[in-house]
Amino acid sequence: MASNSDSIYYVLTKLQHHPELVKQITARYTNTVMILFDDSLKIANSSFYFPVDRLMVNRLAGEFVAKNGDLLEEYFAMTKSTKANYHDVWATTSHIPAKKVFLLELSYE
């Protein structure tokens, strides 16, 4: 089974290269960005990592944040943050079948 970090990396890079999958990107609060994307995207173990009509919240490992800083920075730039940096990243995920979307919200702390 892939890890949540693997799934988040896959989704973020896939959306980066295929923006047509994105339904909506919203900067929420000053440190978060919410991404709704087409649920036709094939994600390994999606029912586990993107639970139906429920939220799953995970802190991304420090090693993941360090290794994928450039990718995370691209999404951090979409927030309304006035801070120059962050230490932790939290990922909230869900599947919303009624809207035919997956939700991925990144929160930068």
Side-chain angles (χ1 to χ4, degrees):
M1 178 183 275
S3 73
N4 190 43
S5 294
D6 294 338
S7 294
I8 298 303
Y9 176 81
Y10 170 76
V11 168
L12 293 176
T13 56
K14 191 72 163 183
L15 296 178
Q16 186 183 44
H17 294 105
H18 295 280
E20 70 275 7
L21 294 170
V22 175
K23 301 284 187 175
Q24 178 181 344
I25 296 179
T26 305
R28 298 180 45 164
Y29 312 107
T30 58
N31 64 328
T32 63
V33 61
M34 182 182 68
I35 307 161
L36 299 176
F37 58 98
D38 197 310
D39 68 358
S40 66
L41 179 63
K42 301 297 181 211
I43 302 170
N45 303 302
S46 63
S47 61
F48 181 78
Y49 295 118
F50 290 81
V52 174
D53 294 327
R54 293 180 336 181
L55 297 175
M56 176 182 273
V57 181
N58 286 289
R59 181 178 164 267
L60 298 178
E63 300 82 29
F64 177 86
V65 174
K67 180 179 176 185
N68 298 293
D70 290 343
L71 179 62
L72 292 170
E73 280 293 324
E74 189 169 319
Y75 290 93
F76 180 66
M78 297 176 191
T79 71
K80 297 177 182 178
S81 182
T82 57
K83 289 179 154 184
N85 58 23
Y86 53 89
H87 297 288
D88 294 315
V89 180
W90 293 80
T92 302
T93 56
S94 183
H95 182 202
I96 309 168
K99 301 282 186 184
K100 298 183 179 180
V101 296
F102 287 118
L103 173 145
L104 170 58
E105 182 175 82
L106 298 173
S107 176
Y108 295 86
E109 305 291 330

